[in-house]
Amino acid sequence: MPRVTEDVAIVGIGETPVGRLPGMSSVEIQAQAVLAALADAGFALSDLDGIINLDPYATPNSMFSTTLSEYLGVRPRFSTTIDVGGTVTGMTMLQQAAWAIESGFCTVAACVYGENTLTGRADNTQGLHMQNLLGGEEWEEPFGCQAMVIPYALVAQRYFDLYGAGPDDLGAVAVTTRAHALLNDNAQMRKPITLADHHASRPISSPLRLLDCSLISDGGGAVILVSGTAARKRGLRGVRIRSMAMRTTHNSAAVMPDISGFGMAEAARDAFASAGVAVSDIDVAQLHDAFTISVLVTLDALGFCPPGEAGAYVRSGATSLGGRCPVNTHGGLLSQAHVGGMLHIVEAVRQLRGAAGRRQVPDARLAAVSGNGGVFSVCGVMVLEQERAA
Amino acid sequence: MTAAQEDPDWAGLRAVLPRATAASRPFWDGCRRGELLLSHCNVCGHVFYYPRRHCPSCAALDPGWKRSTGRGQVFSFTVVAVSFHGSGWESQLPYTVVLVDLDDGPRMMSRLIGPGRESVASGDRVEVVFPEIDGQRLPFFRKSG
Ligand SMILES: [Zn+2]
C-alpha cells in the first residue's frame, strides 16, 4: 500500500481572485498565488527552494517551472512541471513535493496552478480546445468530439441508462454547489439557482445543460509544504497528507471503459486503506466537479452511497453544509472557479484549519479530495488531516 | 468541406479530418474502400481499436487487420447542441456522437447520421457508412433495423 511520509506538512495556502483578471498573464497569476501562500505560511520568498507547477492549458508553454522561478526571483534546488491530467495534477504536485522534501532535495516547496483561461484564450468564441487535453485527436475529432463536455455527456447518458438516473440528479449537484458558492466571497457565481433554473438552462450536449458545466476562469491557487522539522521549528501545525492513491485506465474518450472500469473506486479504496480510515470517517470532501455528472460518479466510487444512488444522496442534503459530509464547500469548479482543482486542495486545508468562516464544517478533522483528468482517465483520491497539538 | 451527394443523408456533412500516421494509414485507406478494419494481433488473437504498432494485450509487434462486419449497438450517445468551432459549424447542429460496441468486440467513438439520429437510445442497432468529406471517407454510423 502506498504510504505518504508523515513528516511533511501543508503550512500555507494561497488563492488569487477568480473570474476575469484582464491584463494578467499566467505566470503572473501563479506568482501571486505562491506569494500569498508563502505569506500565509510566514515564510520569506528566499526560503522557497522547491517549485512544482502545471503549465497553462489555454496558452501552452514549455519550461514553465523555470519561467515561474525566474519571475518569482528564486533559485530553487528542485523544480518541475507536472501534467498528469486535469484535477489530479494538484495532488500529484503534492506527492512530488512530499518526496522531494523527504529525500532532501528541498525544504520549502510551492505547488501551484493558475492561468488566464477566461481572458487569455486565443479565440473566446470556442470552448477550450481539446488538443493536448485528451490526446486522441485522430479518433475523436473526426466524429465531432471536440470539447470536454462531450465525453462527460457520454458518461452521463451511460449513468442514466445504468441506474435510471435523470436530470433531477444532475440538477441536485448544481443547486447544492451553487448554494455553497454564495458563502464564498471569492466565487464567480453570485446568484442562487433552483432545480427549475437547471432544467431550463441551455442544452449543450445531451443530457448536459449549461448549469451542468464548470466555469471558465482566470485564477490561481498554491500550497506550501515543508518538512515536519521545519514546521515545528516555527511552531506551525500544518495539515498532513495521510494518504494518496491514483489509477490511470485510459486517456481518450474513444476507448473509454464502462463506469465500473474507471479508476476512481480503486484509488479511493487504496487511499482509505492507506490512511486506515473509512469513508464514514470523512468530515468534508472536495470532489472533482468539472461537470455535475463527475460528482455523482465520484460519490458512488468513494462509497458515500451505493452505486447509482448519488442523486438521492445529494437530494437528501448529505453533501450540503450541515449534512453528513459537505462536498465542495467553496463552490467547486461548477460555481466558484475552475482552477484545475488547486482550490479544492486550498479549501480542504482551510476547512481542516477551522478557517472557512461562514461555510465552516464544524470540527472538520479529516478531508477527502478527489481529482480526475481527461474523462475519468486518471483518477486520484487523497486524505488530509489537521495535525493536533503535541 | 461538404459531403459528396451520393446519399442525401450525407449532404452538407462537415468534419475535422484525421491526420493519419504510417501505422493508422491502412485503417483510413480501408474506409476509402468501404471497409472498417480492426487491428488483429497475430500472436494472441486480440482484436482492438484504435490501431497501434503493438498489441496492447500481449505487446506483440506489427498486428494485422481484420475486416469488421461494421455492425454493433449504441453503448452511449450525446446530441450536441452547440458549436465548438465557431459559427461555421452551426450547420451541423444538432449532431450525435456515439460510442458503438461493435459485434466484433471493440468499442469505438463515431458520429450517428441519417434518420433518427436525434432520437437514438442506448442499445439501438447501428451499421457503419462511409460518407466522403473533403475527399476523405469517414466511418460514421446510421441506425439499422
Ligand atoms: Zn496480442
Side-chain angles (χ1 to χ4, degrees), chain B residues 41-46 48 55-60:
Chain B
C41 177
N42 301 310
V43 176
C44 77
H46 185 46
F48 58 95
C55 167
S57 185
C58 77

Side-chain angles (χ1 to χ4, degrees), chain B residues 8 33 55-57 65 74 78 81 87 101 106 109 121 130 142:
Chain B
R33 298 189 304 272
C55 167
S57 185
W65 299 93
V74 173
T78 178
S87 56
D101 283 343
M109 176 176 283
F130 296 95
R142 70 179 175 204

Side-chain angles (χ1 to χ4, degrees), chain A residues 17 54 92 111 121 134 181 206 219 264 313 318 324 349 366 377:
Chain A
L54 167 63
T92 309
C111 299
R121 279 178 302 160
L134 281 194
S206 71
M264 191 64 84
Y313 181 75
R324 208 303 275 153
V349 172
L366 275 178
S377 311

